[in-house]
Amino acid sequence: MFESLSDRLTGALKDLRGKGRLSPADIDATCREIRLALLEADVALPVVRGFIARIKERAKGSEVSAALNPAQQVVKIVNEELVAILGGETRRLTLAKTPPTVIMLAGLQGAGKTTLAGKLAKWLRDQGHQPLLVACDLQRPGAVTQLQVVGERAGVPVFAPHPGTSIGGGENALGVTAADPIAVAEAGITEARAKQYDVVIVDTAGRLGIDAELMAQAAGIRDAVKPDETLFVLDAMIGQDAVSTAEAFRDGVGFTGVVLTKLDGDARGGAALSVRNVTGEPIMFASTGEKLEDFDVFHPDRMASRILG
Ligand code: GDP
């Protein structure tokens, strides 16, 4: 991930090396290269514009450091601006004053929500929490079973509607529940209170594309469980669509943080660079593979260093 962006930025900045002084023309030429590199990496145009404007202003301004030559100064400015558009500081999870803390996951089908639910549960457990996973993706066949498998691997229990029970919905002719995800979510919170789990992670249904029904269902779950955090799970490989998807979820459900998944893929990385800027919400976690361990808190500074190489 980011290899091409990283190469392009390094290339753009390399030409500055060895110059004793930078002329405005040098800075313009470098900014043109940076602009191209960002656009090629699928960073959203308004984000690119703002980024370049800040670099130019700072590079042409009076930021003079005796310790750095002009080229190093531009590299430093680019690095700082990358950290800034990635969110600056790492944002920690908000925990409820009175447990359980409720974390709801939202996102498109295939974004990696169920996998992430397991990763987050294990991460919380490793930190001494007692998490409970709640299976509210009742749309996708196999999603509940998938969460149960993931929960078992993570060593975290899963609250799910059992076939034949009738949480919030009637039994159909086969005796299998047509369960209502909102009722399951509420029952999951009740279970957590009764059994003293201190964090509840609610997995919700995703669709292949954004649709009104999906949004209404996720908003219904949100209203019922009043999450302390709603995490929007975003596949970093979806390129330009990341921005419109994030905006749709922000408007339809609302979220307090972003999880970027599939950062191990070879996508161009623009999603990561755009999403914070466009939605105003921080990237909180990063998922970098299919295994439970491929997961970490998102560090804007480390990501910026990775991009700049
Ligand atoms: P959901 O529909 O949002 O619940 O998505 P899933 O959790 O089922 O994930 C969809 C696919 O993406 C599965 O095959 C996962 O193994 C895979 N996946 C999830 N996260 C990552 C990741 O960070 N990297 C890679 N390479 N694959 C992932």
Side-chain angles (χ1 to χ4, degrees), residues 62-131:
S62 56
E63 282 187 35
V64 183
S65 155
L68 298 175
N69 68 33
Q72 287 170 328
Q73 264 171 44
V74 175
V75 174
K76 181 165 170 281
I77 291 169
V78 172
N79 183 56
E80 286 170 3
E81 290 297 333
L82 273 177
V83 174
I85 62 168
L86 288 166
E89 300 277 301
T90 299
R91 218 274 268 139
R92 294 175 155 273
L93 268 183
T94 307
L95 296 177
K97 286 199 187 76
T98 315
T101 296
V102 179
I103 302 172
M104 173 173 148
L105 308 180
L108 293 180
Q109 183 173 319
K113 276 186 306 302
T114 306
T115 310
L116 184 267
K119 292 176 174 186
L120 189 59
K122 179 180 182 299
W123 183 81
L124 286 162
R125 207 189 61 130
D126 289 347
Q127 306 209 352
H129 289 285
Q130 301 283 324

Short mmCIF file of all heavy atoms in Angstrom, two decimals, residues 62-131:
data_model
loop_
_atom_site.label_atom_id
_atom_site.label_comp_id
_atom_site.label_asym_id
_atom_site.label_seq_id
_atom_site.Cartn_x
_atom_site.Cartn_y
_atom_site.Cartn_z
N SER A 62 8.16 32.14 6.02
CA SER A 62 9.43 32.42 6.67
C SER A 62 9.85 31.34 7.66
O SER A 62 10.49 31.61 8.66
CB SER A 62 9.34 33.77 7.37
OG SER A 62 8.24 33.72 8.27
N GLU A 63 9.44 30.09 7.39
CA GLU A 63 9.83 29.03 8.31
C GLU A 63 11.28 28.65 8.06
O GLU A 63 11.59 27.82 7.22
CB GLU A 63 8.96 27.80 8.09
CG GLU A 63 7.60 27.92 8.70
CD GLU A 63 6.83 26.62 8.58
OE1 GLU A 63 7.46 25.56 8.67
OE2 GLU A 63 5.62 26.70 8.39
N VAL A 64 12.16 29.29 8.74
CA VAL A 64 13.57 29.01 8.51
C VAL A 64 14.16 28.34 9.73
O VAL A 64 13.98 28.78 10.85
CB VAL A 64 14.35 30.31 8.22
CG1 VAL A 64 15.81 30.00 7.90
CG2 VAL A 64 13.70 31.06 7.06
N SER A 65 14.81 27.24 9.46
CA SER A 65 15.48 26.56 10.56
C SER A 65 16.94 26.41 10.19
O SER A 65 17.27 25.95 9.10
CB SER A 65 14.85 25.19 10.78
OG SER A 65 15.78 24.33 11.38
N ALA A 66 17.80 26.81 11.10
CA ALA A 66 19.23 26.75 10.81
C ALA A 66 19.70 25.31 10.66
O ALA A 66 20.66 25.02 9.96
CB ALA A 66 20.00 27.44 11.93
N ALA A 67 18.98 24.39 11.30
CA ALA A 67 19.44 23.01 11.31
C ALA A 67 19.14 22.28 9.99
O ALA A 67 19.73 21.26 9.70
CB ALA A 67 18.78 22.27 12.46
N LEU A 68 18.20 22.80 9.22
CA LEU A 68 17.78 22.08 8.01
C LEU A 68 18.07 22.90 6.76
O LEU A 68 17.90 24.12 6.76
CB LEU A 68 16.27 21.80 8.07
CG LEU A 68 15.76 20.93 9.21
CD1 LEU A 68 14.24 20.86 9.17
CD2 LEU A 68 16.35 19.53 9.11
N ASN A 69 18.47 22.20 5.70
CA ASN A 69 18.59 22.93 4.43
C ASN A 69 17.19 23.09 3.83
O ASN A 69 16.23 22.45 4.29
CB ASN A 69 19.60 22.23 3.51
CG ASN A 69 19.08 20.89 3.02
OD1 ASN A 69 17.88 20.72 2.84
ND2 ASN A 69 19.98 19.95 2.82
N PRO A 70 17.05 23.93 2.81
CA PRO A 70 15.70 24.21 2.29
C PRO A 70 14.94 22.96 1.85
O PRO A 70 13.74 22.84 2.09
CB PRO A 70 15.97 25.12 1.10
CG PRO A 70 17.28 25.77 1.40
CD PRO A 70 18.08 24.75 2.15
N ALA A 71 15.65 22.02 1.24
CA ALA A 71 14.96 20.80 0.78
C ALA A 71 14.43 20.01 1.97
O ALA A 71 13.29 19.53 1.95
CB ALA A 71 15.92 19.94 -0.04
N GLN A 72 15.26 19.89 3.00
CA GLN A 72 14.82 19.15 4.20
C GLN A 72 13.61 19.83 4.82
O GLN A 72 12.72 19.18 5.37
CB GLN A 72 15.96 19.09 5.23
CG GLN A 72 17.06 18.11 4.84
CD GLN A 72 18.28 18.25 5.74
OE1 GLN A 72 18.58 19.34 6.22
NE2 GLN A 72 18.97 17.16 5.95
N GLN A 73 13.63 21.18 4.72
CA GLN A 73 12.49 21.89 5.30
C GLN A 73 11.19 21.57 4.57
O GLN A 73 10.14 21.41 5.19
CB GLN A 73 12.75 23.40 5.25
CG GLN A 73 13.32 23.87 6.58
CD GLN A 73 13.79 25.29 6.52
OE1 GLN A 73 13.11 26.13 5.97
NE2 GLN A 73 14.95 25.53 7.06
N VAL A 74 11.27 21.47 3.23
CA VAL A 74 10.06 21.14 2.48
C VAL A 74 9.60 19.72 2.85
O VAL A 74 8.40 19.48 3.06
CB VAL A 74 10.29 21.27 0.95
CG1 VAL A 74 9.05 20.80 0.19
CG2 VAL A 74 10.60 22.71 0.59
N VAL A 75 10.55 18.80 2.95
CA VAL A 75 10.19 17.42 3.34
C VAL A 75 9.51 17.43 4.70
O VAL A 75 8.49 16.76 4.91
CB VAL A 75 11.45 16.51 3.37
CG1 VAL A 75 11.10 15.13 3.92
CG2 VAL A 75 12.07 16.39 1.99
N LYS A 76 10.05 18.23 5.61
CA LYS A 76 9.47 18.31 6.95
C LYS A 76 8.04 18.86 6.90
O LYS A 76 7.13 18.34 7.55
CB LYS A 76 10.36 19.20 7.82
CG LYS A 76 9.91 19.36 9.25
CD LYS A 76 11.04 19.95 10.09
CE LYS A 76 10.56 20.35 11.47
NZ LYS A 76 9.85 21.64 11.48
N ILE A 77 7.87 19.89 6.08
CA ILE A 77 6.52 20.49 5.96
C ILE A 77 5.54 19.47 5.37
O ILE A 77 4.42 19.31 5.86
CB ILE A 77 6.57 21.78 5.10
CG1 ILE A 77 7.34 22.87 5.85
CG2 ILE A 77 5.16 22.26 4.75
CD1 ILE A 77 7.67 24.09 4.99
N VAL A 78 5.98 18.77 4.32
CA VAL A 78 5.10 17.77 3.68
C VAL A 78 4.74 16.70 4.71
O VAL A 78 3.58 16.30 4.84
CB VAL A 78 5.77 17.14 2.43
CG1 VAL A 78 4.93 15.98 1.90
CG2 VAL A 78 5.96 18.19 1.35
N ASN A 79 5.73 16.27 5.47
CA ASN A 79 5.47 15.26 6.50
C ASN A 79 4.45 15.77 7.52
O ASN A 79 3.48 15.07 7.86
CB ASN A 79 6.79 14.88 7.19
CG ASN A 79 6.58 13.78 8.21
OD1 ASN A 79 6.07 12.72 7.89
ND2 ASN A 79 6.92 14.06 9.45
N GLU A 80 4.66 16.97 7.99
CA GLU A 80 3.73 17.51 9.00
C GLU A 80 2.32 17.67 8.46
O GLU A 80 1.34 17.40 9.15
CB GLU A 80 4.24 18.87 9.51
CG GLU A 80 5.43 18.72 10.44
CD GLU A 80 6.12 20.04 10.76
OE1 GLU A 80 5.65 21.11 10.31
OE2 GLU A 80 7.14 20.00 11.46
N GLU A 81 2.22 18.08 7.20
CA GLU A 81 0.89 18.24 6.62
C GLU A 81 0.22 16.89 6.38
O GLU A 81 -0.99 16.76 6.49
CB GLU A 81 0.96 19.05 5.32
CG GLU A 81 1.29 20.53 5.54
CD GLU A 81 0.22 21.28 6.35
OE1 GLU A 81 -0.96 20.88 6.33
OE2 GLU A 81 0.57 22.26 7.02
N LEU A 82 1.04 15.87 6.05
CA LEU A 82 0.47 14.51 5.90
C LEU A 82 -0.07 14.03 7.24
O LEU A 82 -1.20 13.50 7.31
CB LEU A 82 1.55 13.53 5.43
CG LEU A 82 1.80 13.39 3.93
CD1 LEU A 82 2.95 12.42 3.68
CD2 LEU A 82 0.55 12.89 3.20
N VAL A 83 0.69 14.24 8.30
CA VAL A 83 0.22 13.84 9.64
C VAL A 83 -1.08 14.57 9.94
O VAL A 83 -2.05 13.98 10.43
CB VAL A 83 1.28 14.15 10.73
CG1 VAL A 83 0.72 13.86 12.12
CG2 VAL A 83 2.55 13.33 10.50
N ALA A 84 -1.11 15.86 9.60
CA ALA A 84 -2.31 16.66 9.91
C ALA A 84 -3.53 16.14 9.14
O ALA A 84 -4.60 15.98 9.74
CB ALA A 84 -2.06 18.13 9.59
N ILE A 85 -3.38 15.84 7.84
CA ILE A 85 -4.59 15.38 7.13
C ILE A 85 -4.98 13.96 7.55
O ILE A 85 -6.12 13.57 7.41
CB ILE A 85 -4.57 15.50 5.58
CG1 ILE A 85 -3.49 14.66 4.95
CG2 ILE A 85 -4.54 16.91 5.10
CD1 ILE A 85 -3.70 14.57 3.44
N LEU A 86 -4.04 13.24 8.11
CA LEU A 86 -4.39 11.90 8.62
C LEU A 86 -4.98 11.97 10.02
O LEU A 86 -5.35 10.96 10.60
CB LEU A 86 -3.15 11.00 8.60
CG LEU A 86 -2.70 10.56 7.20
CD1 LEU A 86 -1.31 9.96 7.24
CD2 LEU A 86 -3.68 9.56 6.60
N GLY A 87 -5.06 13.17 10.57
CA GLY A 87 -5.77 13.32 11.85
C GLY A 87 -4.93 13.81 13.01
O GLY A 87 -5.44 13.99 14.10
N GLY A 88 -3.64 13.99 12.79
CA GLY A 88 -2.81 14.51 13.89
C GLY A 88 -2.53 13.46 14.94
O GLY A 88 -1.78 12.52 14.73
N GLU A 89 -3.21 13.58 16.05
CA GLU A 89 -3.01 12.66 17.17
C GLU A 89 -3.83 11.39 16.98
O GLU A 89 -4.88 11.42 16.34
CB GLU A 89 -3.50 13.32 18.46
CG GLU A 89 -2.80 14.60 18.81
CD GLU A 89 -1.50 14.34 19.53
OE1 GLU A 89 -1.58 13.71 20.60
OE2 GLU A 89 -0.45 14.73 19.02
N THR A 90 -3.38 10.30 17.58
CA THR A 90 -4.20 9.09 17.64
C THR A 90 -5.39 9.35 18.56
O THR A 90 -5.22 9.90 19.63
CB THR A 90 -3.38 7.92 18.22
OG1 THR A 90 -2.27 7.70 17.35
CG2 THR A 90 -4.20 6.66 18.34
N ARG A 91 -6.60 8.99 18.09
CA ARG A 91 -7.78 9.19 18.94
C ARG A 91 -8.12 7.88 19.64
O ARG A 91 -8.25 6.85 18.99
CB ARG A 91 -8.96 9.64 18.08
CG ARG A 91 -9.84 10.65 18.71
CD ARG A 91 -10.96 10.37 19.60
NE ARG A 91 -12.20 10.25 18.89
CZ ARG A 91 -13.08 9.31 19.18
NH1 ARG A 91 -12.85 8.42 20.12
NH2 ARG A 91 -14.21 9.26 18.53
N ARG A 92 -8.24 7.92 20.95
CA ARG A 92 -8.53 6.70 21.71
C ARG A 92 -10.03 6.44 21.76
O ARG A 92 -10.83 7.37 21.59
CB ARG A 92 -8.01 6.84 23.14
CG ARG A 92 -6.51 6.93 23.17
CD ARG A 92 -6.01 7.20 24.58
NE ARG A 92 -4.65 6.72 24.70
CZ ARG A 92 -4.33 5.47 25.04
NH1 ARG A 92 -5.26 4.59 25.32
NH2 ARG A 92 -3.08 5.10 25.10
N LEU A 93 -10.38 5.20 22.03
CA LEU A 93 -11.79 4.84 22.18
C LEU A 93 -12.39 5.55 23.39
O LEU A 93 -11.74 5.66 24.43
CB LEU A 93 -11.91 3.35 22.45
CG LEU A 93 -12.10 2.37 21.30
CD1 LEU A 93 -12.27 0.98 21.87
CD2 LEU A 93 -13.30 2.73 20.44
N THR A 94 -13.62 6.01 23.25
CA THR A 94 -14.33 6.58 24.39
C THR A 94 -15.01 5.44 25.14
O THR A 94 -15.79 4.70 24.55
CB THR A 94 -15.43 7.56 23.89
OG1 THR A 94 -14.81 8.49 23.02
CG2 THR A 94 -16.11 8.27 25.04
N LEU A 95 -14.72 5.33 26.41
CA LEU A 95 -15.39 4.29 27.20
C LEU A 95 -16.50 4.94 28.03
O LEU A 95 -16.35 6.06 28.51
CB LEU A 95 -14.38 3.61 28.13
CG LEU A 95 -13.26 2.83 27.42
CD1 LEU A 95 -12.27 2.27 28.42
CD2 LEU A 95 -13.82 1.70 26.55
N ALA A 96 -17.60 4.22 28.17
CA ALA A 96 -18.74 4.76 28.91
C ALA A 96 -18.39 4.87 30.39
O ALA A 96 -17.65 4.05 30.92
CB ALA A 96 -19.94 3.84 28.74
N LYS A 97 -18.91 5.91 31.04
CA LYS A 97 -18.66 6.05 32.48
C LYS A 97 -19.28 4.89 33.24
O LYS A 97 -18.71 4.37 34.18
CB LYS A 97 -19.24 7.38 32.98
CG LYS A 97 -18.40 8.56 32.53
CD LYS A 97 -18.68 9.81 33.37
CE LYS A 97 -17.96 11.00 32.79
NZ LYS A 97 -18.64 11.52 31.57
N THR A 98 -20.48 4.51 32.80
CA THR A 98 -21.13 3.35 33.39
C THR A 98 -21.15 2.24 32.34
O THR A 98 -21.81 2.39 31.31
CB THR A 98 -22.60 3.70 33.76
OG1 THR A 98 -22.60 4.97 34.41
CG2 THR A 98 -23.20 2.65 34.66
N PRO A 99 -20.42 1.15 32.56
CA PRO A 99 -20.41 0.08 31.57
C PRO A 99 -21.81 -0.50 31.37
O PRO A 99 -22.62 -0.40 32.29
CB PRO A 99 -19.47 -0.96 32.17
CG PRO A 99 -18.76 -0.27 33.29
CD PRO A 99 -19.61 0.85 33.74
N PRO A 100 -22.08 -1.13 30.26
CA PRO A 100 -21.13 -1.42 29.19
C PRO A 100 -20.95 -0.27 28.19
O PRO A 100 -21.91 0.45 27.92
CB PRO A 100 -21.78 -2.61 28.48
CG PRO A 100 -23.25 -2.42 28.68
CD PRO A 100 -23.40 -1.76 30.02
N THR A 101 -19.73 -0.15 27.70
CA THR A 101 -19.46 0.71 26.55
C THR A 101 -20.03 0.02 25.32
O THR A 101 -19.82 -1.18 25.15
CB THR A 101 -17.94 0.88 26.37
OG1 THR A 101 -17.41 1.55 27.51
CG2 THR A 101 -17.61 1.68 25.10
N VAL A 102 -20.76 0.76 24.51
CA VAL A 102 -21.35 0.14 23.32
C VAL A 102 -20.64 0.67 22.06
O VAL A 102 -20.56 1.88 21.86
CB VAL A 102 -22.87 0.44 23.23
CG1 VAL A 102 -23.46 -0.18 21.97
CG2 VAL A 102 -23.58 -0.09 24.47
N ILE A 103 -20.11 -0.25 21.28
CA ILE A 103 -19.44 0.12 20.02
C ILE A 103 -20.23 -0.51 18.89
O ILE A 103 -20.41 -1.73 18.84
CB ILE A 103 -17.99 -0.42 20.00
CG1 ILE A 103 -17.19 0.12 21.19
CG2 ILE A 103 -17.31 -0.04 18.68
CD1 ILE A 103 -15.82 -0.52 21.35
N MET A 104 -20.71 0.32 17.99
CA MET A 104 -21.47 -0.20 16.86
C MET A 104 -20.61 -0.11 15.61
O MET A 104 -19.89 0.88 15.41
CB MET A 104 -22.73 0.65 16.71
CG MET A 104 -23.55 0.34 15.49
SD MET A 104 -25.11 1.28 15.56
CE MET A 104 -25.37 1.53 13.80
N LEU A 105 -20.66 -1.15 14.77
CA LEU A 105 -19.89 -1.14 13.53
C LEU A 105 -20.84 -0.96 12.36
O LEU A 105 -21.89 -1.58 12.30
CB LEU A 105 -19.14 -2.47 13.36
CG LEU A 105 -18.28 -2.91 14.54
CD1 LEU A 105 -17.60 -4.25 14.23
CD2 LEU A 105 -17.22 -1.86 14.88
N ALA A 106 -20.46 -0.10 11.42
CA ALA A 106 -21.28 0.11 10.23
C ALA A 106 -20.38 0.17 9.01
O ALA A 106 -19.22 0.54 9.10
CB ALA A 106 -22.07 1.41 10.37
N GLY A 107 -20.94 -0.18 7.88
CA GLY A 107 -20.15 -0.12 6.64
C GLY A 107 -20.76 -1.01 5.57
O GLY A 107 -21.72 -1.73 5.83
N LEU A 108 -20.19 -0.94 4.38
CA LEU A 108 -20.71 -1.75 3.29
C LEU A 108 -20.39 -3.23 3.50
O LEU A 108 -19.43 -3.56 4.19
CB LEU A 108 -20.07 -1.31 1.96
CG LEU A 108 -20.42 0.08 1.45
CD1 LEU A 108 -19.70 0.34 0.12
CD2 LEU A 108 -21.92 0.24 1.26
N GLN A 109 -21.18 -4.07 2.86
CA GLN A 109 -20.88 -5.51 2.90
C GLN A 109 -19.50 -5.75 2.27
O GLN A 109 -19.18 -5.16 1.24
CB GLN A 109 -21.94 -6.27 2.12
CG GLN A 109 -21.75 -7.77 2.17
CD GLN A 109 -22.92 -8.51 1.53
OE1 GLN A 109 -24.08 -8.14 1.72
NE2 GLN A 109 -22.62 -9.53 0.77
N GLY A 110 -18.71 -6.57 2.92
CA GLY A 110 -17.39 -6.88 2.39
C GLY A 110 -16.31 -5.92 2.85
O GLY A 110 -15.13 -6.11 2.55
N ALA A 111 -16.71 -4.88 3.58
CA ALA A 111 -15.71 -3.90 4.04
C ALA A 111 -14.77 -4.53 5.06
O ALA A 111 -13.64 -4.08 5.23
CB ALA A 111 -16.41 -2.69 4.65
N GLY A 112 -15.26 -5.57 5.73
CA GLY A 112 -14.42 -6.23 6.74
C GLY A 112 -14.95 -6.03 8.15
O GLY A 112 -14.21 -6.17 9.11
N LYS A 113 -16.25 -5.76 8.28
CA LYS A 113 -16.83 -5.50 9.61
C LYS A 113 -16.74 -6.69 10.54
O LYS A 113 -16.33 -6.56 11.69
CB LYS A 113 -18.32 -5.16 9.47
CG LYS A 113 -18.62 -3.73 9.15
CD LYS A 113 -20.10 -3.45 9.18
CE LYS A 113 -20.88 -4.40 8.29
NZ LYS A 113 -20.48 -4.37 6.88
N THR A 114 -17.17 -7.85 10.03
CA THR A 114 -17.22 -9.02 10.91
C THR A 114 -15.80 -9.40 11.36
O THR A 114 -15.57 -9.69 12.53
CB THR A 114 -17.93 -10.18 10.19
OG1 THR A 114 -19.20 -9.69 9.75
CG2 THR A 114 -18.13 -11.36 11.10
N THR A 115 -14.87 -9.37 10.40
CA THR A 115 -13.47 -9.65 10.73
C THR A 115 -12.98 -8.66 11.78
O THR A 115 -12.34 -9.01 12.76
CB THR A 115 -12.61 -9.52 9.45
OG1 THR A 115 -13.22 -10.28 8.40
CG2 THR A 115 -11.20 -10.01 9.68
N LEU A 116 -13.32 -7.40 11.55
CA LEU A 116 -12.89 -6.33 12.46
C LEU A 116 -13.50 -6.52 13.85
O LEU A 116 -12.84 -6.25 14.86
CB LEU A 116 -13.32 -5.00 11.83
CG LEU A 116 -12.96 -3.66 12.44
CD1 LEU A 116 -14.00 -3.13 13.38
CD2 LEU A 116 -11.58 -3.66 13.10
N ALA A 117 -14.76 -6.98 13.89
CA ALA A 117 -15.42 -7.19 15.18
C ALA A 117 -14.57 -8.14 16.03
O ALA A 117 -14.34 -7.89 17.22
CB ALA A 117 -16.82 -7.75 14.96
N GLY A 118 -14.08 -9.20 15.40
CA GLY A 118 -13.25 -10.17 16.11
C GLY A 118 -11.93 -9.56 16.55
O GLY A 118 -11.47 -9.76 17.68
N LYS A 119 -11.33 -8.77 15.66
CA LYS A 119 -10.04 -8.16 15.98
C LYS A 119 -10.16 -7.18 17.15
O LYS A 119 -9.35 -7.17 18.07
CB LYS A 119 -9.51 -7.39 14.76
CG LYS A 119 -9.13 -8.29 13.61
CD LYS A 119 -8.72 -7.48 12.41
CE LYS A 119 -8.19 -8.38 11.32
NZ LYS A 119 -7.64 -7.67 10.19
N LEU A 120 -11.21 -6.39 17.08
CA LEU A 120 -11.43 -5.39 18.12
C LEU A 120 -11.73 -6.08 19.46
O LEU A 120 -11.23 -5.67 20.52
CB LEU A 120 -12.60 -4.49 17.70
CG LEU A 120 -12.89 -3.25 18.52
CD1 LEU A 120 -11.69 -2.32 18.55
CD2 LEU A 120 -14.11 -2.50 17.94
N ALA A 121 -12.52 -7.15 19.38
CA ALA A 121 -12.86 -7.90 20.60
C ALA A 121 -11.60 -8.48 21.24
O ALA A 121 -11.40 -8.37 22.45
CB ALA A 121 -13.85 -9.01 20.26
N LYS A 122 -10.73 -9.05 20.41
CA LYS A 122 -9.50 -9.64 20.95
C LYS A 122 -8.61 -8.54 21.53
O LYS A 122 -8.05 -8.69 22.61
CB LYS A 122 -8.75 -10.39 19.84
CG LYS A 122 -7.46 -10.99 20.34
CD LYS A 122 -6.73 -11.73 19.23
CE LYS A 122 -5.46 -12.39 19.74
NZ LYS A 122 -4.49 -11.44 20.28
N TRP A 123 -8.51 -7.44 20.80
CA TRP A 123 -7.68 -6.31 21.25
C TRP A 123 -8.17 -5.81 22.62
O TRP A 123 -7.39 -5.57 23.54
CB TRP A 123 -7.74 -5.22 20.19
CG TRP A 123 -6.91 -4.02 20.44
CD1 TRP A 123 -5.57 -3.87 20.21
CD2 TRP A 123 -7.37 -2.75 20.94
NE1 TRP A 123 -5.18 -2.60 20.54
CE2 TRP A 123 -6.25 -1.90 20.99
CE3 TRP A 123 -8.62 -2.26 21.35
CZ2 TRP A 123 -6.36 -0.57 21.43
CZ3 TRP A 123 -8.72 -0.96 21.80
CH2 TRP A 123 -7.59 -0.12 21.83
N LEU A 124 -9.49 -5.69 22.76
CA LEU A 124 -10.05 -5.22 24.03
C LEU A 124 -9.82 -6.25 25.15
O LEU A 124 -9.48 -5.90 26.27
CB LEU A 124 -11.55 -4.95 23.87
CG LEU A 124 -11.89 -3.68 23.10
CD1 LEU A 124 -13.33 -3.69 22.60
CD2 LEU A 124 -11.65 -2.44 23.97
N ARG A 125 -9.99 -7.51 24.79
CA ARG A 125 -9.79 -8.57 25.78
C ARG A 125 -8.33 -8.57 26.27
O ARG A 125 -8.06 -8.70 27.45
CB ARG A 125 -10.14 -9.91 25.17
CG ARG A 125 -10.59 -10.94 26.18
CD ARG A 125 -10.70 -12.26 25.51
NE ARG A 125 -9.38 -12.64 24.98
CZ ARG A 125 -8.80 -13.80 25.17
NH1 ARG A 125 -9.41 -14.72 25.85
NH2 ARG A 125 -7.61 -14.05 24.68
N ASP A 126 -7.41 -8.39 25.31
CA ASP A 126 -5.99 -8.35 25.67
C ASP A 126 -5.69 -7.18 26.61
O ASP A 126 -4.69 -7.19 27.32
CB ASP A 126 -5.10 -8.23 24.42
CG ASP A 126 -5.10 -9.52 23.61
OD1 ASP A 126 -5.57 -10.54 24.13
OD2 ASP A 126 -4.63 -9.50 22.45
N GLN A 127 -6.54 -6.17 26.58
CA GLN A 127 -6.34 -5.03 27.47
C GLN A 127 -7.10 -5.17 28.78
O GLN A 127 -7.23 -4.20 29.52
CB GLN A 127 -6.82 -3.76 26.79
CG GLN A 127 -6.19 -3.57 25.45
CD GLN A 127 -6.07 -2.12 25.09
OE1 GLN A 127 -6.58 -1.25 25.76
NE2 GLN A 127 -5.37 -1.86 24.01
N GLY A 128 -7.65 -6.35 29.01
CA GLY A 128 -8.30 -6.60 30.29
C GLY A 128 -9.80 -6.35 30.30
O GLY A 128 -10.42 -6.43 31.36
N HIS A 129 -10.38 -6.04 29.14
CA HIS A 129 -11.84 -5.86 29.10
C HIS A 129 -12.54 -7.21 28.93
O HIS A 129 -11.92 -8.21 28.60
CB HIS A 129 -12.22 -4.94 27.93
CG HIS A 129 -11.81 -3.52 28.13
ND1 HIS A 129 -12.47 -2.67 28.99
CD2 HIS A 129 -10.78 -2.81 27.62
CE1 HIS A 129 -11.87 -1.49 28.98
NE2 HIS A 129 -10.83 -1.55 28.16
N GLN A 130 -13.85 -7.17 29.19
CA GLN A 130 -14.69 -8.36 29.02
C GLN A 130 -15.69 -8.04 27.92
O GLN A 130 -16.81 -7.63 28.22
CB GLN A 130 -15.46 -8.64 30.32
CG GLN A 130 -14.61 -8.86 31.53
CD GLN A 130 -14.02 -10.25 31.52
OE1 GLN A 130 -14.65 -11.21 31.09
NE2 GLN A 130 -12.78 -10.39 31.96
N PRO A 131 -15.29 -8.20 26.66
CA PRO A 131 -16.23 -7.81 25.60
C PRO A 131 -17.27 -8.88 25.27
O PRO A 131 -17.05 -10.06 25.53
CB PRO A 131 -15.31 -7.58 24.39
CG PRO A 131 -13.99 -8.18 24.72
CD PRO A 131 -14.00 -8.63 26.15
#
